[in-house]
Amino acid sequence: QVQLVESGGGSAQAGGSLRLSCEVFVFTDTNPCVGWFRQAPGKEREGLVGITASGRSSEYASAVKGRFTISRDNARSTVDLQMDSLKPEDTAMYYCAAQQYSHCANALSSTYYNQWGRGTQVTVSS
């Protein structure tokens, strides 16, 4: 079992930055793949990026590649999402999630994630 808690959401101006953090509580022997997702009102949940348990491999969605950066600190049990060059269309509820595997199977598909945090709101104004 894994529990996830997001923090760091808030408001920013277009072109600004925010950093989200996901604290990952692992109660099994397997450190999981962790992904970040977002969901805007009236839209489907969108996969942004996934990172393997080791932190050595990640996969980004084209919508955020080059602007968002994921990092993982297993000593602190955190997976952070640095968001730069923010746009109004980045406004959404942001979630971190965990797979039951240490590698990432289909990192951008929510179907492969079985544990979810409660989310943190990000609002970007123009």
Side-chain angles (χ1 to χ4, degrees), residues 19-23 36 49 51 69-73 76 78-82:
R19 187 176 183 91
L20 306 183
S21 187
C22 176
E23 194 165 9
W36 280 97
V49 59
I51 189 167
T69 304
I70 195 170
S71 60
R72 184 168 194 151
D73 185 340
R76 293 175 55 238
T78 56
V79 177
D80 290 352
L81 185 66
Q82 176 67 38

Side-chain angles (χ1 to χ4, degrees), residues 6 18 20 35-50 60-65 67-68 81-97 107-110 113 116-124:
E6 303 95 338
L18 283 172
L20 306 183
W36 280 97
F37 292 76
R38 68 185 178 191
Q39 188 166 18
K43 294 190 175 181
E44 292 192 356
R45 189 165 293 188
E46 176 186 15
L48 304 177
V49 59
Y60 290 87
S62 57
V64 302
K65 194 170 187 177
R67 298 190 300 122
F68 291 10
L81 185 66
Q82 176 67 38
M83 305 187 296
D84 299 317
S85 303
L86 284 164
K87 305 175 182 180
E89 51 264 43
D90 293 319
T91 296
M93 185 71 79
Y94 282 69
Y95 300 89
C96 62
L108 303 182
S109 172
S110 61
Y113 291 81
W116 293 81
R118 292 186 177 183
T120 186
Q121 178 68 37
V122 170
T123 303
V124 183

